[in-house]
Amino acid sequence: MKDSNLQQSTGPSIRRRTLVMAAAGACTVGTAWGQAAWNPQRPLKLIVTYPPGGGADVTARAFTDQLGNKLGQAVVIDNRGGAGGAIGAEVAYRAAPDGYTLLWGNADILTIAPHLFTRLPYKPNEFVPIGPTAAVAFVLCGRGDIGVKTFAEVLELGRKKELSFASWGNGSPGHVGSEMFKTMGKVPSVLTVPYQGTAPAAQALLAGQVDMMYLPSPLFLAMESKVTTFAAAGKQRYDRFKQVPTMAEFGVPVDLEVWQGLFAPPGTPKPVIDRIASALTEVSADPAIRKKIEELGVVPLASSQEEFAKSIAPDAARWGEIMRAAQVKPQA
């Protein structure tokens, strides 16, 4: 795996940690299925919990063709945006556990949301993890005519006036990041404006409807010339855009790195999980796919299903600590 700052902080957690309930779910085998190998007989549906064009959608589409080739059936993306990813997550959660509906899961809906909402329409720890796919960085950017050029200047601006932040729903890294900017940057107030996904939020930033946004790395690389770049929201500078300083360099240690991965509905039998996990492992090892992912500013991740399952609970604990430090209160 390519050495990178993003992998140093996010990748190892994907490989080494434990989530007992999810791992147990992955081992559930229905008697009707037995232990025979499973091969799909019709196309699979992959639920992406944000609209087309956003960071999660772009990354998912980089995998689907090859994943379908390995499985012998097409993998078709079904974008179910809204409610910070909760709508799509609920659809996947309630889907038949037969292998034909999968979830492009991420930290937003599985390890961040449980700390932000007292009730969710799905149970994050009951999804069956299949494997990690990518780790995504974020860059804090402003509208082109915001009038300041450095992160130090935007901090001063935020202490003089309320800045508006576009987010892709309550509970998203964009929402959490705005609260971290306020608390850690000692800014009196921010206004978070939720949109249905990262792509609509980014369009609002380009149109000057909001002041700021944490752009996921694929969108940042596509929009860099049209926005004002302030700082990356990570512990260290990233290989793909080393010219961008981190917020931590200015004494505001905001770290929003998140992972993405493939999940199945609760109760999906082990032969199904094993078949899809095997196909995903082959796709993740393909040099052409890895290059495609890296060109998006995203770090490819790969591990066994068991290692991936072990990583999730500690990541949830990490986000709990972040929420408390940012003084983010759970919502009903």
Side-chain angles (χ1 to χ4, degrees):
M1 183 177 291
K2 178 183 175 183
D3 185 19
S4 74
N5 298 327
L6 192 55
Q7 287 171 300
Q8 290 168 11
S9 57
T10 304
S13 70
I14 293 297
R15 294 191 295 271
R16 290 201 291 260
R17 298 175 177 173
T18 300
L19 177 60
V20 175
M21 291 184 69
C27 293
T28 300
V29 180
T31 55
W33 291 84
Q35 292 292 339
W38 178 80
N39 288 293
Q41 301 302 306
R42 64 178 190 271
L44 285 70
K45 178 169 63 177
L46 176 59
I47 294 177
V48 174
T49 59
Y50 294 109
D57 179 74
V58 169
T59 309
R61 290 178 189 278
F63 279 82
T64 50
D65 285 349
Q66 285 301 316
L67 185 61
N69 289 341
K70 300 298 181 183
L71 290 170
Q73 292 288 339
V75 178
V76 181
I77 287 183
D78 182 3
N79 295 96
R80 297 291 187 102
I87 291 175
E90 182 181 9
V91 172
Y93 180 77
R94 301 189 184 284
D98 56 9
Y100 290 100
T101 300
L102 303 175
L103 173 69
W104 190 263
N106 51 42
D108 305 24
I109 58 175
L110 297 173
T111 59
I112 298 177
H115 299 289
L116 283 170
F117 301 100
T118 56
R119 287 182 292 180
L120 289 168
Y122 59 93
K123 294 182 179 180
N125 59 0
E126 291 187 1
F127 282 105
V128 184
I130 297 174
T133 54
V136 181
F138 293 89
V139 180
L140 182 64
C141 297
R143 53 186 170 82
D145 61 350
I146 194 169
V148 293
K149 295 183 178 181
T150 69
F151 182 70
E153 291 174 337
V154 85
L155 279 176
E156 289 302 315
L157 183 63
R159 290 163 186 159
K160 296 174 183 176
K161 58 171 286 188
E162 184 179 70
L163 295 173
S164 57
F165 280 72
S167 83
W168 42 106
N170 291 332
S172 68
H175 167 219
V176 176
S178 67
E179 295 298 324
M180 295 172 76
F181 174 86
K182 180 179 73 174
T183 303
M184 298 179 179
K186 298 180 173 58
V187 171
S189 178
V190 299
L191 174 65
T192 303
V193 183
Y195 292 85
Q196 291 294 312
T198 52
Q203 288 300 317
L205 180 67
L206 289 178
Q209 297 171 1
V210 291
D211 297 316
M212 312 278 292
M213 179 180 171
Y214 290 94
L215 285 172
S217 45
L219 291 185
F220 168 69
L221 292 173
M223 296 170 52
E224 185 176 4
S225 64
K226 300 176 182 179
V227 297
T228 305
T229 302
F230 294 122
K235 294 179 180 178
Q236 301 178 50
R237 296 196 184 196
Y238 298 108
D239 291 344
R240 191 65 175 81
F241 35 88
K242 283 189 174 180
Q243 76 281 10
V244 180
T246 66
M247 296 171 72
E249 291 176 40
F250 296 89
V252 183
V254 174
D255 179 9
L256 295 180
E257 296 169 358
V258 297
W259 51 264
Q260 299 174 352
L262 205 58
F263 290 78
T268 301
K270 190 175 187 300
V272 177
I273 299 298
D274 290 346
R275 178 70 181 91
I276 299 171
S278 176
L280 179 62
T281 297
E282 292 184 55
V283 174
S284 298
D286 187 329
I289 295 296
R290 295 178 67 84
K291 181 180 179 182
K292 191 174 183 179
I293 295 300
E294 289 167 354
E295 288 174 348
L296 294 172
V298 176
V299 174
L301 297 177
S303 78
S304 69
Q305 185 229 341
E306 292 78 11
E307 289 171 330
F308 182 44
K310 291 176 182 178
S311 73
I312 298 173
D315 190 64
R318 166 184 174 256
W319 280 105
E321 294 173 0
I322 289 173
M323 301 300 177
R324 289 188 288 275
Q327 300 177 21
V328 177
K329 305 297 183 184
Q331 307 172 31

